[in-house]
Amino acid sequence: MIERFYLKEYLSFKEVAIEPKNGLIVFTGPSGSGKSILMHSILSSFGLASCEAALCEASVAWELDAQEYGIEEDDVYIFKHLKKEKSRYFINNQNISKKSLSLLASNYLKHLSLRDFSDFENENLLLILDSRIQKHSPEIEKLKSDYKDFFLEHKRVKKALFIIEEEQKRVTELKEFAAFEIQKISEVNPKVSEDEELLEIKKELSKKEKVLESITRANTIFEYEHSVVGTLELLGVDSSSFNDTMNELRAVMESAQERFEMLEDVNVEEVLNRLEVLSELKRRYGSIEDAIRYKEQKIQELEKYENIEMTKGDLEQQEASLAKKVKELSQKLTQLRHAEIGLFERDLNRYLNELYLRDAKVEIIQKELDIFGKDEIALKLHGTDLQKISTGEFNRLRLGVLALKSECMNKEGGVLMLDEIDANLSGEESMSVAKVLRGLSKHFQIFVISHQPQLTSMGNQHFLVYKKEGTSYVKELNFDERSQEVARIISGERITEEAKGFAKELLLLCQGENI
């Protein structure tokens, strides 16, 4: 439920703070006082509308999947729309996009003033029907779970079979291509880091002659080695360091000489050609390692193509078995639903009659199997498609569906917001709407704007929206103040004693029914 709402600087409102309770919450007031503006600002705090308020803030006690939206889990969440240079949205002071905020909030809040067909979508109507069935046939939940598992597995296997069949149509071409790619890389037979080694050889070959000439000249130093040692001995100087240095130098020269002599047998042309082949391989596959991995992948693909007939046969058997099971389970669901649909229609029409609407026709038609089965609930109001009925009829029909849904609810259903749902209705029609809303308020927190005394009197909580010197205010009314406001709705600004008496009687009657 929404536990608190705060509004700052929006059109005629300077500052508003209200603390809604559970149940049916009614907003009344003279035309132009700001009722719809206030409702709009509440929606704005949840990203479900846009407004230019400096601040819209709503505190809610909802069990949110906080992790999914990257917010910290808490007992109370504060939804906030802040407008400075641009609009920003927050939950518990954590920034969130308007789209994410509205998607989250729409799971808990419905705005019935919009011509929204979501309540009449097949998934929602089936949910109501199946919840009714569960009361006397609890096995339907396991049946639905089993059907869903088999349906999804059948869908997966069917997709795999389709891929196999598509591959089979061009398997010869695929096999030839895979074999060609394998052969192309196998002919080169590349080794990891081979190109780096060849580049090093190429580099050494390019300087071979110059290095060997330099080594020959440098080796003349060893012709004077004995003379240097003898001189050091005559001088009485230890020659061991000199000997070590000369031995180390000799080892370097001999190692270099051997390395370059080994290159004598290397064919420069072959090195260059090999580097060119490897370069082409790298250009095509990215690296030698990538080429080797690609070859292994094609080898595996070739094995799969060789075994495609066997794989296809296995998948065909699985698909046939799963299709049979899916059909069997869907048929059981259909039987249960057909047995209940008449009662569904009867009870819906009971609410519609209370709402002074014509009877609805509800039937199950067959459609292509999906995750909910093969059943589609078709609903018409006295033979008229829902797209063609009036807005007033549409909204009252939605109330009837929600009332039917609430019969099977075992937890809070969230928040419903309605703008003047009783507008242009007769007194009897308005009272019927009020009674249905009162029943719904056991499961929903309902915000409603009303201009009729019946719905106004039925509310659990009553807020008056009024203007004073151009500024709008909101005030929660006590019993006497409510009686005065209902009298104003009945007779206008010049309140008669007769209107006062009728208002008090109506309020006592409705509040007595609420209890």
Side-chain angles (χ1 to χ4, degrees):
M1 62 175 285
I2 299 174
E3 296 184 334
R4 182 178 183 273
F5 176 72
Y6 178 77
L7 173 65
K8 185 175 182 180
E9 295 177 11
Y10 180 38
L11 297 177
S12 57
F13 289 95
K14 298 300 182 186
E15 189 173 41
V16 171
I18 60 174
E19 295 183 1
K21 300 174 183 176
N22 262 327
L24 181 58
I25 303 153
V26 180
F27 294 85
T28 66
S31 296
S33 59
K35 300 181 294 299
S36 294
I37 293 173
L38 179 62
M39 191 78 78
H40 193 80
S41 64
I42 295 174
L43 290 169
S44 182
S45 63
F46 297 102
L48 296 169
S50 298
C51 75
E52 299 297 316
L55 176 64
C56 302
E57 182 179 282
S59 302
V60 302
W62 292 341
E63 294 181 7
L64 304 183
D65 188 355
Q67 289 186 343
E68 182 180 348
Y69 293 89
I71 56 178
E72 294 183 9
E73 196 167 318
D74 210 334
D75 293 331
V76 175
Y77 295 92
I78 300 175
F79 287 66
K80 187 184 299 183
H81 171 208
L82 188 63
K83 177 79 173 180
K84 288 185 179 179
E85 294 179 358
K86 62 178 184 179
S87 290
R88 299 179 67 192
Y89 298 87
F90 301 86
I91 298 179
N92 289 2
N93 293 321
Q94 291 181 244
N95 195 274
I96 187 170
S97 71
K98 181 180 180 181
K99 182 178 180 181
S100 295
L101 183 73
S102 61
L103 281 174
L104 187 156
S106 61
N107 293 320
Y108 303 87
L109 188 154
K110 285 180 177 289
H111 184 205
L112 266 65
S113 290
L114 302 175
R115 200 173 176 88
D116 179 5
F117 284 84
S118 61
D119 287 315
F120 302 108
E121 289 176 355
N122 192 51
E123 177 182 351
N124 185 60
L125 294 176
L126 281 178
L127 180 64
I128 299 172
L129 182 64
D130 293 345
S131 297
R132 292 170 58 90
I133 295 170
Q134 189 181 10
K135 286 184 175 182
H136 54 78
S137 300
E139 69 274 10
I140 190 175
E141 280 306 301
K142 185 175 187 313
L143 179 58
K144 287 170 66 177
S145 177
D146 289 346
Y147 169 80
K148 180 180 178 181
D149 291 342
F150 278 103
F151 176 82
L152 292 174
E153 179 63 10
H154 176 251
K155 186 177 180 181
R156 184 193 67 78
V157 170
K158 196 173 180 180
K159 181 179 179 181
L161 182 58
F162 174 78
I163 293 171
I164 285 284
E165 289 172 342
E166 289 299 305
E167 288 179 344
Q168 192 178 34
K169 292 176 184 177
R170 51 194 184 95
V171 69
T172 302
E173 178 186 341
L174 291 170
K175 285 171 66 176
E176 288 177 354
F177 177 74
F180 173 76
E181 292 289 288
I182 293 167
Q183 182 182 3
K184 186 188 298 185
I185 299 173
S186 296
E187 286 175 350
V188 176
N189 194 23
K191 305 294 189 298
V192 176
S193 302
E194 180 185 359
D195 56 335
E196 296 173 4
E197 293 173 5
L198 288 175
L199 284 171
E200 187 62 32
I201 291 173
K202 178 186 174 184
K203 181 181 176 182
E204 292 195 335
L205 282 172
S206 66
K207 61 181 181 179
K208 173 185 171 186
E209 297 299 329
K210 188 175 181 179
V211 171
L212 288 175
E213 288 178 8
S214 181
I215 289 175
T216 300
R217 287 195 301 272
N219 277 338
T220 58
I221 192 174
F222 298 113
E223 296 177 7
Y224 303 98
E225 183 178 358
H226 291 297
S227 299
V228 174
V229 171
T231 301
L232 291 173
E233 289 178 353
L234 288 173
L235 293 172
V237 177
D238 185 6
S239 62
S240 59
S241 295
F242 174 73
N243 289 332
D244 290 342
T245 301
M246 292 303 289
N247 287 334
E248 185 177 343
L249 179 60
R250 185 178 288 104
V252 170
M253 295 297 186
E254 288 175 354
S255 174
Q257 186 82 29
E258 289 174 3
R259 189 170 72 253
F260 281 99
E261 285 176 355
M262 288 174 62
L263 293 175
E264 289 291 340
D265 298 329
V266 174
N267 187 313
V268 178
E269 197 67 28
E270 289 180 358
V271 171
L272 295 176
N273 289 339
R274 183 65 177 173
L275 279 171
E276 186 177 345
V277 170
L278 292 174
S279 178
E280 176 62 23
L281 206 66
K282 289 163 64 178
R283 185 192 66 77
R284 183 178 177 86
Y285 301 106
S287 70
I288 289 177
E289 290 84 352
D290 289 335
I292 293 171
R293 279 194 292 268
Y294 181 74
K295 174 187 170 183
E296 293 302 318
Q297 176 188 329
K298 289 300 172 186
I299 289 172
Q300 292 176 10
E301 286 182 12
L302 194 58
E303 290 175 355
K304 185 183 77 170
Y305 299 142
E306 296 291 348
N307 297 323
I308 197 167
E309 285 296 336
M310 185 182 300
T311 304
K312 181 186 175 185
D314 291 342
L315 285 173
E316 285 176 334
Q317 288 183 4
Q318 288 182 53
E319 192 277 332
S321 175
L322 287 167
K324 181 180 178 182
K325 189 66 177 177
V326 167
K327 183 178 180 181
E328 174 189 322
L329 293 173
S330 70
Q331 189 60 38
K332 289 182 179 179
L333 277 174
T334 295
Q335 290 171 355
L336 288 171
R337 288 165 175 169
H338 271 286
E340 181 67 26
I341 197 67
L343 299 174
F344 178 101
E345 180 184 85
R346 181 200 67 187
D347 291 343
L348 174 61
N349 283 328
R350 173 167 46 84
Y351 285 111
L352 299 188
N353 290 335
E354 289 180 25
L355 293 165
Y356 289 85
L357 282 175
R358 299 166 294 170
D359 281 352
K361 178 65 177 174
V362 186
E363 59 181 344
I364 293 177
I365 58 177
Q366 300 303 298
K367 61 174 181 59
E368 187 177 342
L369 283 167
D370 64 15
I371 200 165
F372 304 107
K374 61 178 180 178
D375 308 310
E376 181 173 351
I377 297 180
L379 191 157
K380 292 184 177 182
L381 189 61
H382 199 64
T384 305
D385 290 335
L386 302 189
Q387 290 83 355
K388 297 179 180 179
I389 64 178
S390 70
T391 300
E393 289 177 319
F394 183 85
N395 284 331
R396 280 184 283 159
L397 179 58
R398 287 180 78 183
L399 281 185
V401 170
L402 285 170
L404 193 63
K405 181 179 181 178
S406 70
E407 291 181 355
C408 300
M409 293 174 63
N410 52 18
K411 62 178 183 179
E412 292 299 317
V415 178
L416 299 179
M417 300 190 73
L418 305 93
D419 286 343
E420 304 182 30
I421 195 167
D422 58 352
N424 303 317
L425 298 182
S426 68
E428 287 183 332
E429 290 171 334
S430 180
M431 180 58 81
S432 71
V433 169
K435 287 180 177 180
V436 171
L437 286 176
R438 183 195 64 194
L440 281 172
S441 67
K442 297 174 183 176
H443 302 281
F444 296 89
Q445 183 186 39
I446 303 175
F447 292 75
V448 61
I449 294 173
S450 179
H451 288 289
Q452 298 275 28
Q454 293 81 4
L455 178 51
T456 301
S457 300
M458 195 68 77
N460 301 108
Q461 192 176 19
H462 185 168
F463 289 98
L464 173 66
V465 183
Y466 64 97
K467 260 185 181 179
K468 185 177 180 181
E469 297 180 354
T471 299
S472 293
Y473 299 90
V474 181
K475 178 184 179 182
E476 184 177 358
L477 303 183
N478 59 32
F479 182 86
D480 290 337
E481 291 167 331
R482 290 186 70 176
S483 179
Q484 184 76 6
E485 173 61 7
V486 172
R488 181 197 67 78
I489 293 172
I490 294 169
S491 64
E493 295 303 324
R494 299 183 65 178
I495 303 173
T496 65
E497 290 300 319
E498 183 181 5
K500 287 182 181 179
F502 179 73
K504 190 169 185 178
E505 288 180 15
L506 181 62
L507 196 57
L508 286 169
L509 174 66
C510 290
Q511 292 306 299
E513 289 196 25
N514 268 328
I515 295 168

